[in-house]
Amino acid sequence: GAVVSQHPSRVICKSGTSVKIECRSLDFQATTMFWYRQFPKKSLMLMATSNEGSKATYEQGVEKDKFLINHASLTLSTLTVTSAHPEDSSFYICSAEREGAEAFFGQGTRLTVV
Amino acid sequence: RKEVEQDPGPFNVPEGATVAFNCTYSNSASQSFFWYRQDCRKEPKLLMSVYSSGNEDGRFTAQLNRASQYISLLIRDSKLSDSATYLCVVNHNAGKSTFGDGTTLTVKP
């Protein structure tokens, strides 16, 4: 069964609104989670590393004020896309690594901004 | 140069064919290596880990050559259901994964 749950799986929003995506580790504690973005026919690009209890670490070129990350507990990280624009439309995926094991991915969220 | 590079593909093969994917990585400090499979509009799913000794899982064989910083995936007796994008993934900083661009495989009847 799924060990990382991501919600929602699909969302359509209007330009200028904000969208929150949740990522939960279901049966383990994840001090670190990762957020990726995938454009059509491209690979996953790491956006940021979410650290429980501290600020997220963003990759170069990712706007931290636009993509707000909160990792308030050991099982939940959220990504909020603020003031969304059509160019933010993409597939967003989170992952968490269970200690000593490979990374587990959420189901992904397809965001469409109209 | 990209940190993880894969064959560009696409690979179009008939059922029953053997197909091999290659991947190279640039960070010699990389610690763990994986092949993931991604179906259209779905999340990546782990296919297999890759070890220096090589490992096999049914029709799938993965190899790692640390000296050459090279990873391979061999699929024997291809099935229609093997059609997907295969991602080479390298991990050098616990949990932080770097993905190749993926190689698309289409198996045709």
Side-chain angles (χ1 to χ4, degrees):
Chain A
V3 296
V4 175
S5 176
Q6 188 173 338
H7 173 81
S9 58
R10 188 182 298 270
V11 58
I12 300 173
C13 71
K14 292 184 178 180
S15 288
T17 61
S18 295
V19 175
K20 181 185 284 189
I21 304 170
E22 291 187 349
C23 182
R24 293 181 185 274
S25 56
L26 297 182
D27 61 355
F28 66 100
Q29 294 181 331
T31 55
T32 306
M33 292 185 178
F34 302 88
W35 288 96
Y36 296 85
R37 180 175 181 176
Q38 187 174 33
F39 290 102
K41 299 189 178 184
K42 296 289 184 182
S43 189
L44 287 85
M45 297 297 295
L46 180 66
M47 298 174 65
T49 302
S50 173
N51 305 297
E52 188 269 336
S54 65
K55 292 182 179 180
T57 305
Y58 290 82
E59 296 300 302
Q60 191 173 13
V62 178
E63 298 176 61
K64 61 180 181 180
D65 294 330
K66 180 163 189 62
F67 298 100
L68 299 179
I69 291 173
N70 184 286
H71 196 149
S73 77
L74 288 171
T75 58
L76 174 64
S77 175
T78 60
L79 168 68
T80 301
V81 183
T82 63
S83 188
H85 289 98
E87 57 265 31
D88 297 326
S89 299
S90 189
F91 192 50
Y92 294 87
I93 303 179
C94 68
S95 78
E97 184 182 88
R98 190 159 54 186
E99 191 170 346
E102 72 281 6
F104 293 91
F105 289 86
Q107 298 92 327
T109 298
R110 183 159 300 282
L111 170 64
T112 304
V113 184
V114 298
Chain B
R1 183 189 172 193
K2 291 182 181 178
E3 199 169 328
V4 178
E5 296 204 57
Q6 289 186 241
D7 281 348
F11 285 67
N12 298 300
V13 303
E15 271 188 293
T18 296
V19 60
F21 302 144
N22 302 317
C23 172
T24 57
Y25 61 95
S26 60
N27 189 333
S28 59
S30 298
Q31 299 168 349
S32 49
F33 311 88
F34 309 93
W35 283 102
Y36 278 77
R37 170 189 171 136
Q38 186 173 27
D39 293 290
C40 189
R41 295 173 175 260
K42 297 288 180 70
E43 80 279 17
K45 291 189 177 178
L46 179 67
L47 181 64
M48 56 199 309
S49 302
V50 190
Y51 305 112
S52 297
S53 56
N55 48 307
E56 186 174 313
D57 182 3
R59 297 181 293 108
F60 299 84
T61 301
Q63 294 275 357
L64 165 65
N65 185 320
R66 284 189 182 270
S68 302
Q69 295 179 199
Y70 171 91
I71 305 160
S72 66
L73 176 67
L74 182 76
I75 304 175
R76 292 181 298 278
D77 188 23
S78 300
K79 311 290 184 190
L80 296 177
S81 57
D82 293 335
S83 298
T85 297
Y86 291 83
L87 304 171
C88 173
V89 181
V90 174
N91 188 320
H92 62 271
N93 184 5
K96 187 174 178 179
S97 303
T98 302
F99 290 78
D101 285 344
T103 301
T104 299
L105 171 66
T106 301
V107 181
K108 299 184 175 181

